[in-house]
Amino acid sequence: MDNVGNGTHVATRDLEKVSGSAEAVWDEAFLVTFDQNEAQNPLNWTKKRKWGVTAAISGTGFVRIMVSTMMAPSIDTMAEELDTSITESTMALSVYLLATAFGPLIIGPVSEIYGRKSIFHITNIWFLVWNLVCGFAHSKGLLMAARLLAGFGASAVYSLGYGVLGDVWSAEQRGRSLSLYLLIPLTGSAVGPIVSGFIVKYSTWRWMFWSTAILQLTLDLSSLLFHESYAPLLLRRRAEELRSNTGGSRYHAAIEMREAGLSPPRKLSRSLSRPLRLLAFHPIIQMQAILEGIDYGLLYFALSSFSALYVAAYGESVEISGLHYIVICIGTVSGSQLCGPLMDYAYQRLSSNTGETQIPELRIPLLLPGALITPIGFLLYGWAAQYHLIWVVVDVGAALLSLGMQIFDTTLHAYVMDSYPEHVSSASAATQVLRSLLAFAFPLLSNSLYDSLGYGWGNSLLACLSIGIALPATGILWRWGATLRGRQQSSY
């Protein structure tokens, strides 16, 4: 995507399917594109501006992920104060994730119509308001409703984040940009339970939501200079400006060619249906959704039961048990930071060996370490807990499983970003559905599974599920990924 004008061939092909002749309608001499080294092209932005928008998305992701997990240590306390069962309190934790399943289906494609900037600010305000309401809830109904609505606003980061990264960073910089983008948000899954453990001990659980609302407001004010990064929208605006200034109607952008003859409602409906069309008809998206869904569900399975393990089996207090989430943070952060440089190195080496560039399947070999490390972590964590070995062994197992999951998921995201460069947000939204649904469902089953099988055999089952799906899928993508991409329908 060094020059957006390269999208002309796709646009012309799509137009010819409808009209039979693109040349009869459009004059390519008036196609508005970026020059090769033009500074206005988001791919050619200065490093300062690129890291500015990346940092804004990253900071927002930190708050959203922290809020998703911070209720875990306070479930018992909230259940007692709001007169609910443990299952209902756990539902308040999980319903946030349920919203993140469906929110991106709207937010992702809408950002490809109206741009990243406006949607980024609107969803930030939406999240801020409803997260604040959670802190004032005095009934389980209001708490669940506010968590659901806050989750909808929070879900923007799951589609916008990868969309912005795809907008401003080239394929050769994919690994490094992903690792640095993920560095801050991934700490949120551990920081949330740790902070909330001490909040519950020394104050009220309501400050979990009030404090994160203050943090979100601070980030909102600091990101007011967030720049629009979606190239097709920038080119459409440039074409509109040229038509206005010159009085000529021949200037056009590639996206306008693709939307020729469509009414505004039809454009909107086609964009909104894109994530579901990708999920229904694109095997690459289907495989990523299943793989990430299993990994994400298993991660939240571990998160929801982790604190309770140390309280029940090791006799620790709630606030001290929350400190063990640090090892999950260490695992996920280490996975992202190892994966990024390795991804770029492997991509460049494989590209030089094959003589080909811009081949998404060159990302696939890095899936193998993640697929193998994750089940090892589950087994170590489960059997150490089963026999009440020293807590350090349990922590090492948890760190390994989170490290393996992160390597696997980061590599998968890079693969899809390379496969759908112009519709990264819609592709991310499509995969987020199953991912969040499983993260919503799995924690509800953790108590039943461990009560029936114990930590040893329970985690052995999870390890078999993980490797039994991840390993064959890796081989399929490496062997037939390019073929599957070649046969799939256009993402437009």
Side-chain angles (χ1 to χ4, degrees):
M1 194 177 168
D2 289 335
N3 189 317
V4 178
N6 294 339
T8 306
H9 300 297
V10 177
T12 304
R13 180 197 67 193
D14 291 346
L15 183 66
E16 287 172 344
K17 289 180 180 179
V18 178
S19 64
S21 174
E23 291 74 18
V25 182
W26 307 104
D27 186 345
E28 291 193 14
F30 292 90
L31 177 66
V32 178
T33 65
F34 290 124
D35 293 334
Q36 185 173 0
N37 297 311
E38 185 177 344
Q40 296 304 312
N41 184 348
L43 287 171
N44 296 329
W45 280 356
T46 63
K47 289 293 180 64
K48 180 179 179 180
R49 177 176 287 192
K50 286 185 177 184
W51 287 121
V53 297
T54 302
I57 291 289
S58 183
T60 300
F62 169 78
V63 178
R64 309 298 170 80
I65 294 175
M66 180 172 65
V67 171
S68 75
T69 62
M70 71 187 311
M71 277 184 59
S74 63
I75 286 176
D76 291 347
T77 304
M78 296 175 68
E80 182 179 351
E81 183 172 329
L82 298 177
D83 192 25
T84 66
S85 66
I86 297 298
T87 300
E88 288 173 328
S89 291
T90 305
M91 181 72 74
L93 167 70
S94 297
V95 75
Y96 181 95
L97 300 169
L98 183 63
T100 64
F102 300 103
L105 294 177
I106 299 173
I107 296 170
V110 167
S111 74
E112 294 167 351
I113 302 175
Y114 303 107
R116 318 289 195 200
K117 181 178 179 179
S118 58
I119 303 303
F120 177 72
H121 290 308
I122 291 171
T123 54
N124 279 351
I125 294 172
W126 178 280
F127 169 78
L128 173 64
V129 170
W130 289 109
N131 188 57
L132 191 61
V133 170
C134 289
F136 292 97
H138 287 279
S139 68
K140 62 183 180 182
L142 179 58
L143 177 63
M144 288 187 185
R147 282 282 288 179
L148 181 70
L149 293 169
F152 178 84
S155 67
V157 74
Y158 296 109
S159 54
L160 283 182
Y162 293 104
V164 170
L165 292 181
D167 292 342
V168 304
W169 298 102
S170 65
E172 291 74 20
Q173 300 169 310
R174 186 79 70 225
R176 182 167 177 261
S177 62
L178 277 171
S179 66
L180 292 176
Y181 158 70
L182 291 169
L183 177 60
I184 298 176
L186 288 177
T187 63
S189 61
V191 171
I194 293 170
V195 171
S196 66
F198 284 93
I199 288 176
V200 171
K201 177 70 175 180
Y202 298 106
S203 182
T204 169
W205 58 266
R206 299 180 185 280
W207 267 106
M208 293 189 304
F209 301 106
W210 296 338
S211 60
T212 50
I214 293 172
L215 177 58
Q216 180 63 55
L217 178 61
T218 303
L219 290 173
D220 289 348
L221 294 175
S222 64
S223 63
L224 290 177
L225 298 179
F226 185 89
H227 296 277
E228 179 57 58
S229 63
Y230 190 51
L233 179 67
L234 294 174
L235 291 172
R236 182 205 292 273
R237 290 175 178 173
R238 178 178 292 187
E240 291 172 348
E241 184 178 358
L242 286 170
R243 290 196 294 267
S244 175
N245 292 340
T246 64
S249 60
R250 291 178 295 178
Y251 291 100
H252 59 276
I255 192 172
E256 293 175 309
M257 296 172 65
R258 287 189 287 270
E259 295 176 349
L262 298 178
S263 63
R266 174 58 180 155
K267 293 177 185 177
L268 181 62
S269 65
R270 189 170 74 164
S271 293
L272 289 176
S273 66
R274 183 175 295 119
L276 292 179
R277 285 189 282 115
L278 292 175
L279 187 59
F281 302 113
H282 289 234
I284 298 298
I285 297 297
Q286 293 165 355
M287 293 189 69
Q288 190 205 15
I290 293 172
L291 293 170
E292 286 203 358
I294 296 295
D295 260 13
Y296 206 55
L298 293 177
L299 175 61
Y300 272 83
F301 195 106
L303 283 172
S304 66
S305 58
F306 205 48
S307 180
L309 166 66
Y310 288 99
V311 172
Y314 291 86
E316 296 180 353
S317 63
V318 172
E319 66 271 21
I320 296 301
S321 69
L323 294 176
H324 291 279
Y325 285 97
I326 292 175
V327 300
I328 293 180
C329 174
I330 291 173
T332 53
V333 170
S334 299
S336 68
Q337 300 313 298
L338 287 171
C339 184
L342 285 174
M343 184 189 301
D344 287 343
Y345 174 76
Y347 187 79
Q348 292 169 6
R349 285 295 302 270
L350 290 172
S351 296
S352 62
N353 290 342
T354 61
E356 299 178 334
T357 58
Q358 307 298 321
I359 305 298
E361 282 68 35
L362 298 182
R363 308 284 186 193
I364 299 302
L366 204 56
L367 291 176
L368 281 174
L372 296 174
I373 293 173
T374 299
I376 294 174
F378 266 118
L379 293 172
L380 184 59
Y381 162 33
W383 288 106
Q386 181 76 22
Y387 289 105
H388 291 188
L389 300 182
I390 187 171
W391 58 266
V392 173
V393 182
V394 181
D395 282 0
V396 170
L400 285 175
L401 76 88
S402 58
L403 181 143
M405 286 180 179
Q406 192 57 49
I407 291 175
F408 196 85
D409 288 351
T410 302
T411 305
L412 265 183
H413 272 295
Y415 177 58
V416 171
M417 291 170 73
D418 288 351
S419 300
Y420 299 86
E422 197 163 318
H423 291 138
V424 174
S425 286
S426 288
S428 298
T431 60
Q432 185 66 25
V433 177
L434 190 57
R435 180 181 182 181
S436 291
L437 286 177
L438 291 180
F440 164 76
F442 273 38
L444 302 178
L445 305 174
S446 62
N447 289 335
S448 299
L449 178 70
Y450 289 136
D451 287 344
S452 300
L453 299 178
Y455 280 97
W457 288 113
N459 275 17
S460 296
L461 177 62
L462 300 180
C464 290
L465 177 64
S466 176
I467 196 169
I469 293 176
L471 210 55
T474 299
I476 291 171
L477 288 174
W478 175 253
R479 179 65 180 83
W480 292 291
T483 302
L484 293 174
R485 285 191 300 107
R487 292 178 179 176
Q488 65 195 17
Q489 302 176 7
S490 169
S491 61
Y492 293 97

